[in-house]
Amino acid sequence: QMCIRDRSTWEGSGINAEYMGINSKVKLHKIIKMEGGSMAVHIQDQKKREQEFKKAVKKLPTKLRYQVVALENCCKAKRDLDQELDNKIAELDIEYFNKAKHFFESAQAIISGQRLPNEQELSDVQTYFTEEELKLKDQFANQNPIKNFWLRVLLNSPGIRNEINDRDELILEHLENILMVYEEGNKNYSVVFEFRENEFFINKQLKKTAICDENYQPQRFQGTKIEWKDGMDVSKKKVVKRQKNKATGEIRVVEEVLSDRSFFNFFGDSASKSDECSTQHKENQHQDQGLSLIHI
Protein backbone atom coordinates (compact mmCIF):
# COMPACT_ATOMS: atom_id res chain seq x y z
CA GLN A 1 0.00 0.00 0.00
CA MET A 2 1.44 3.33 -1.08
CA CYS A 3 1.39 6.60 0.84
CA ILE A 4 0.00 9.70 -0.83
CA ARG A 5 2.85 11.15 -2.86
CA ASP A 6 1.11 12.87 -5.77
CA ARG A 7 -0.33 15.85 -3.93
CA SER A 8 -0.23 18.21 -6.90
CA THR A 9 -3.97 17.96 -7.52
CA TRP A 10 -4.64 19.21 -3.99
CA GLU A 11 -1.76 21.58 -3.37
CA GLY A 12 -2.77 25.07 -4.40
CA SER A 13 -6.44 24.11 -4.35
CA GLY A 14 -6.93 25.70 -0.95
CA ILE A 15 -8.43 22.49 0.42
CA ASN A 16 -6.61 22.57 3.75
CA ALA A 17 -7.34 22.96 7.44
CA GLU A 18 -8.06 26.67 7.09
CA TYR A 19 -10.44 26.07 4.18
CA MET A 20 -12.34 23.32 6.00
CA GLY A 21 -12.66 25.50 9.10
CA ILE A 22 -10.46 23.23 11.20
CA ASN A 23 -8.52 26.10 12.75
CA SER A 24 -11.77 27.59 14.01
CA LYS A 25 -13.72 24.35 14.04
CA VAL A 26 -11.33 22.23 16.05
CA LYS A 27 -8.39 24.51 16.92
CA LEU A 28 -6.15 21.66 15.84
CA HIS A 29 -3.08 23.71 15.03
CA LYS A 30 -3.27 25.57 18.35
CA ILE A 31 -3.59 22.38 20.36
CA ILE A 32 -0.63 20.79 18.57
CA LYS A 33 1.45 23.87 19.33
CA MET A 34 0.38 24.07 22.98
CA GLU A 35 0.59 20.33 23.49
CA GLY A 36 4.25 20.57 22.54
CA GLY A 37 5.01 22.44 25.76
CA SER A 38 5.06 26.08 24.65
CA MET A 39 2.14 26.82 26.99
CA ALA A 40 4.07 25.58 30.04
CA VAL A 41 7.17 27.53 28.98
CA HIS A 42 5.11 30.68 28.45
CA ILE A 43 3.51 30.45 31.91
CA GLN A 44 6.85 29.83 33.61
CA ASP A 45 8.43 32.76 31.77
CA GLN A 46 5.55 35.04 32.74
CA LYS A 47 5.99 34.16 36.44
CA LYS A 48 9.73 34.73 36.16
CA ARG A 49 9.21 38.21 34.68
CA GLU A 50 6.81 39.10 37.51
CA GLN A 51 9.37 38.05 40.12
CA GLU A 52 12.14 40.01 38.41
CA PHE A 53 9.88 43.07 38.17
CA LYS A 54 9.15 43.00 41.92
CA LYS A 55 12.86 42.72 42.75
CA ALA A 56 13.70 45.60 40.42
CA VAL A 57 11.00 47.87 41.87
CA LYS A 58 12.22 47.30 45.44
CA LYS A 59 15.62 48.70 44.44
CA LEU A 60 14.17 51.98 43.13
CA PRO A 61 14.24 55.25 45.10
CA THR A 62 11.23 55.60 47.38
CA LYS A 63 9.46 58.38 45.42
CA LEU A 64 9.96 56.66 42.06
CA ARG A 65 8.88 53.34 43.56
CA TYR A 66 5.44 54.81 44.41
CA GLN A 67 5.03 56.02 40.82
CA VAL A 68 6.12 52.72 39.26
CA VAL A 69 3.77 50.74 41.52
CA ALA A 70 0.92 53.02 40.42
CA LEU A 71 1.86 52.55 36.76
CA GLU A 72 2.00 48.79 37.20
CA ASN A 73 -1.53 48.79 38.63
CA CYS A 74 -2.72 50.86 35.66
CA CYS A 75 -1.22 48.25 33.36
CA LYS A 76 -2.78 45.47 35.40
CA ALA A 77 -6.21 47.07 35.01
CA LYS A 78 -5.63 47.17 31.25
CA ARG A 79 -4.59 43.50 31.25
CA ASP A 80 -7.78 42.62 33.13
CA LEU A 81 -9.77 44.48 30.47
CA ASP A 82 -7.90 42.58 27.75
CA GLN A 83 -8.80 39.31 29.46
CA GLU A 84 -12.46 40.35 29.57
CA LEU A 85 -12.27 41.01 25.82
CA ASP A 86 -10.66 37.61 25.22
CA ASN A 87 -13.45 35.94 27.18
CA LYS A 88 -16.15 37.68 25.14
CA ILE A 89 -14.39 36.68 21.91
CA ALA A 90 -14.24 33.07 23.14
CA GLU A 91 -17.97 33.16 23.92
CA LEU A 92 -18.70 34.55 20.44
CA ASP A 93 -16.50 31.87 18.95
CA ILE A 94 -18.63 29.17 20.60
CA GLU A 95 -21.87 30.92 19.62
CA TYR A 96 -20.94 31.14 15.94
CA PHE A 97 -19.44 27.66 15.97
CA ASN A 98 -22.87 26.37 16.98
CA LYS A 99 -24.46 28.41 14.18
CA ALA A 100 -21.99 26.89 11.69
CA LYS A 101 -22.60 23.27 12.73
CA HIS A 102 -25.17 22.85 9.97
CA PHE A 103 -22.62 23.80 7.30
CA PHE A 104 -20.02 21.38 8.65
CA GLU A 105 -22.60 18.59 8.74
CA SER A 106 -23.73 19.36 5.18
CA ALA A 107 -20.15 19.32 3.92
CA GLN A 108 -19.40 16.06 5.75
CA ALA A 109 -22.45 14.41 4.15
CA ILE A 110 -20.97 15.16 0.71
CA ILE A 111 -17.45 14.11 1.74
CA SER A 112 -18.68 10.78 3.11
CA GLY A 113 -20.93 10.10 0.12
CA GLN A 114 -24.16 10.21 2.10
CA ARG A 115 -25.82 12.59 -0.37
CA LEU A 116 -25.42 14.45 -3.64
CA PRO A 117 -24.87 18.24 -3.72
CA ASN A 118 -28.17 20.12 -4.05
CA GLU A 119 -29.09 22.80 -6.60
CA GLN A 120 -28.33 25.67 -4.22
CA GLU A 121 -24.83 24.33 -3.56
CA LEU A 122 -24.28 24.09 -7.33
CA SER A 123 -25.76 27.49 -8.19
CA ASP A 124 -22.48 28.78 -9.72
CA VAL A 125 -21.38 25.48 -11.21
CA GLN A 126 -21.00 27.05 -14.68
CA THR A 127 -18.01 29.02 -13.33
CA TYR A 128 -16.00 25.83 -12.96
CA PHE A 129 -17.15 23.72 -15.93
CA THR A 130 -17.32 24.12 -19.68
CA GLU A 131 -20.64 23.83 -21.52
CA GLU A 132 -19.63 20.40 -22.82
CA GLU A 133 -18.86 19.21 -19.29
CA LEU A 134 -22.16 20.56 -17.96
CA LYS A 135 -24.06 18.49 -20.53
CA LEU A 136 -22.47 15.39 -19.02
CA LYS A 137 -22.88 16.36 -15.36
CA ASP A 138 -25.42 13.60 -14.69
CA GLN A 139 -22.79 11.04 -15.64
CA PHE A 140 -20.32 12.44 -13.10
CA ALA A 141 -22.75 13.01 -10.23
CA ASN A 142 -22.25 10.28 -7.66
CA GLN A 143 -22.50 9.63 -3.95
CA ASN A 144 -19.12 7.97 -3.60
CA PRO A 145 -17.04 9.15 -0.63
CA ILE A 146 -14.11 11.42 -1.46
CA LYS A 147 -11.15 9.11 -0.96
CA ASN A 148 -8.61 10.14 1.71
CA PHE A 149 -10.26 13.55 2.03
CA TRP A 150 -9.30 14.29 5.64
CA LEU A 151 -5.79 12.94 5.21
CA ARG A 152 -5.28 15.26 2.25
CA VAL A 153 -6.66 18.19 4.27
CA LEU A 154 -4.11 17.54 7.03
CA LEU A 155 -1.25 17.08 4.56
CA ASN A 156 -2.15 20.40 2.94
CA SER A 157 -2.09 22.25 6.25
CA PRO A 158 1.10 24.06 7.40
CA GLY A 159 1.95 23.29 11.00
CA ILE A 160 0.21 19.92 10.81
CA ARG A 161 1.70 18.15 7.80
CA ASN A 162 5.21 18.15 9.30
CA GLU A 163 3.91 16.03 12.19
CA ILE A 164 2.78 13.26 9.82
CA ASN A 165 5.19 10.56 8.66
CA ASP A 166 4.73 7.79 6.08
CA ARG A 167 3.39 5.25 8.59
CA ASP A 168 0.94 7.83 9.96
CA GLU A 169 -0.41 8.40 6.45
CA LEU A 170 -1.37 4.75 6.11
CA ILE A 171 -3.46 5.03 9.29
CA LEU A 172 -4.94 8.43 8.43
CA GLU A 173 -6.30 6.98 5.19
CA HIS A 174 -8.98 5.50 7.49
CA LEU A 175 -9.88 8.91 8.96
CA GLU A 176 -13.53 9.73 8.19
CA ASN A 177 -14.14 13.00 10.04
CA ILE A 178 -12.71 15.57 12.46
CA LEU A 179 -15.09 17.13 14.96
CA MET A 180 -15.03 19.88 17.55
CA VAL A 181 -17.03 19.32 20.75
CA TYR A 182 -17.61 21.94 23.46
CA GLU A 183 -18.53 20.56 26.88
CA GLU A 184 -21.53 21.93 28.73
CA GLY A 185 -21.04 23.41 32.19
CA ASN A 186 -17.34 24.27 31.75
CA LYS A 187 -14.88 25.82 29.30
CA ASN A 188 -13.38 22.56 28.03
CA TYR A 189 -13.40 21.48 24.40
CA SER A 190 -12.28 18.39 22.48
CA VAL A 191 -10.91 17.51 19.08
CA VAL A 192 -12.41 14.20 17.92
CA PHE A 193 -10.99 12.08 15.10
CA GLU A 194 -13.42 9.46 13.77
CA PHE A 195 -12.01 6.35 12.07
CA ARG A 196 -13.56 3.47 10.23
CA GLU A 197 -12.50 -0.04 11.19
CA ASN A 198 -8.83 -0.62 10.40
CA GLU A 199 -5.92 -3.00 10.98
CA PHE A 200 -4.00 -0.61 13.25
CA PHE A 201 -6.12 0.00 16.37
CA ILE A 202 -9.49 -0.88 17.90
CA ASN A 203 -10.69 2.66 18.71
CA LYS A 204 -13.41 4.15 16.52
CA GLN A 205 -12.66 7.59 17.96
CA LEU A 206 -9.49 9.30 19.15
CA LYS A 207 -9.98 12.40 21.24
CA LYS A 208 -7.86 15.21 22.66
CA THR A 209 -9.52 17.34 25.35
CA ALA A 210 -8.32 20.76 26.45
CA ILE A 211 -8.98 21.32 30.16
CA CYS A 212 -9.48 25.08 30.43
CA ASP A 213 -9.63 27.60 33.24
CA GLU A 214 -12.37 30.19 33.69
CA ASN A 215 -10.66 32.37 31.05
CA TYR A 216 -10.88 29.64 28.39
CA GLN A 217 -7.11 29.09 28.58
CA PRO A 218 -6.04 25.40 28.28
CA GLN A 219 -4.14 24.28 31.37
CA ARG A 220 -3.56 20.67 30.38
CA PHE A 221 -4.67 18.12 27.82
CA GLN A 222 -6.19 14.66 28.13
CA GLY A 223 -5.92 12.22 25.27
CA THR A 224 -7.41 8.88 24.30
CA LYS A 225 -5.38 5.78 25.09
CA ILE A 226 -4.94 4.14 21.70
CA GLU A 227 -5.70 0.41 21.73
CA TRP A 228 -3.10 -0.68 19.21
CA LYS A 229 -3.40 -4.05 17.57
CA ASP A 230 -0.45 -6.39 17.97
CA GLY A 231 2.67 -4.99 16.30
CA MET A 232 0.91 -1.92 14.87
CA ASP A 233 1.94 0.81 17.34
CA VAL A 234 3.61 3.45 15.14
CA SER A 235 4.57 5.53 18.18
CA LYS A 236 7.08 2.86 19.26
CA LYS A 237 10.11 1.33 17.58
CA LYS A 238 12.19 -1.72 18.38
CA VAL A 239 15.95 -1.26 18.62
CA VAL A 240 18.28 -4.26 18.69
CA LYS A 241 21.58 -3.78 20.52
CA ARG A 242 24.60 -6.06 20.90
CA GLN A 243 26.18 -6.02 24.36
CA LYS A 244 29.54 -7.55 25.19
CA ASN A 245 30.33 -8.89 28.66
CA LYS A 246 33.71 -7.41 29.60
CA ALA A 247 34.58 -10.31 31.87
CA THR A 248 33.64 -13.26 29.67
CA GLY A 249 33.62 -11.64 26.23
CA GLU A 250 30.21 -13.14 25.62
CA ILE A 251 27.95 -11.15 23.30
CA ARG A 252 24.23 -11.00 23.84
CA VAL A 253 21.48 -9.38 21.79
CA VAL A 254 19.11 -7.05 23.64
CA GLU A 255 15.89 -5.69 22.16
CA GLU A 256 14.53 -2.37 23.46
CA VAL A 257 11.22 -0.64 22.70
CA LEU A 258 11.66 3.12 22.37
CA SER A 259 9.32 6.01 21.64
CA ASP A 260 9.21 7.08 18.01
CA ARG A 261 8.09 10.25 16.22
CA SER A 262 4.46 9.98 15.13
CA PHE A 263 1.41 12.17 14.63
CA PHE A 264 -0.43 9.81 16.99
CA ASN A 265 1.69 10.95 19.93
CA PHE A 266 -0.69 13.92 19.80
CA PHE A 267 -3.33 11.80 21.56
CA GLY A 268 -1.15 11.06 24.58
CA ASP A 269 -1.20 12.80 27.96
CA SER A 270 0.46 16.16 27.47
CA ALA A 271 1.38 16.83 31.12
CA SER A 272 4.63 14.88 31.09
CA LYS A 273 5.42 16.12 27.61
CA SER A 274 5.07 19.73 28.73
CA ASP A 275 7.52 19.05 31.55
CA GLU A 276 9.95 17.52 29.08
CA CYS A 277 9.62 20.52 26.78
CA SER A 278 10.16 22.92 29.69
CA THR A 279 13.36 21.07 30.60
CA GLN A 280 14.48 21.11 26.99
CA HIS A 281 13.72 24.81 26.76
CA LYS A 282 15.97 25.52 29.75
CA GLU A 283 18.74 23.50 28.12
CA ASN A 284 18.29 25.47 24.90
CA GLN A 285 18.56 28.73 26.84
CA HIS A 286 21.96 27.69 28.16
CA GLN A 287 23.04 26.87 24.62
CA ASP A 288 21.73 30.06 23.06
CA GLN A 289 20.76 32.96 25.32
CA GLY A 290 19.47 34.79 22.25
CA LEU A 291 16.57 32.41 21.66
CA SER A 292 13.17 33.95 22.22
CA LEU A 293 10.36 32.06 23.90
CA ILE A 294 7.54 30.62 21.84
CA HIS A 295 4.36 32.18 23.16
CA ILE A 296 0.83 30.97 22.72
Side-chain angles (χ1 to χ4, degrees), residues 183-291:
E183 296 183 9
E184 294 185 7
N186 56 50
K187 316 296 186 183
N188 304 341
Y189 59 86
S190 299
V191 180
V192 182
F193 284 61
E194 294 185 340
F195 291 84
R196 61 177 174 270
E197 188 174 346
N198 61 79
E199 66 269 32
F200 298 97
F201 48 71
I202 297 172
N203 313 66
K204 294 296 177 64
Q205 287 188 344
L206 298 180
K207 183 165 65 172
K208 189 82 171 188
T209 300
I211 308 300
C212 302
D213 61 17
E214 66 279 3
N215 293 321
Y216 295 92
Q217 293 301 312
Q219 302 301 298
R220 57 190 176 89
F221 299 93
Q222 293 179 344
T224 300
K225 181 179 179 181
I226 302 178
E227 299 177 63
W228 295 101
K229 295 181 180 179
D230 189 35
M232 293 297 183
D233 188 348
V234 297
S235 66
K236 305 290 183 186
K237 63 180 178 181
K238 290 184 179 180
V239 178
V240 177
K241 296 182 178 180
R242 295 167 60 88
Q243 296 180 344
K244 184 176 181 180
N245 189 307
K246 293 181 179 180
T248 64
E250 182 182 351
I251 296 177
R252 66 170 183 167
V253 177
V254 179
E255 187 178 87
E256 292 185 29
V257 178
L258 305 176
S259 296
D260 200 6
R261 175 183 167 273
S262 171
F263 173 81
F264 289 89
N265 289 326
F266 168 73
F267 296 101
D269 186 357
S270 67
S272 59
K273 192 165 185 179
S274 294
D275 293 340
E276 291 172 5
C277 288
S278 297
T279 301
Q280 183 63 46
H281 176 78
K282 291 177 182 177
E283 293 174 357
N284 291 343
Q285 278 189 317
H286 290 303
Q287 295 170 4
D288 183 0
Q289 293 295 331
L291 287 176

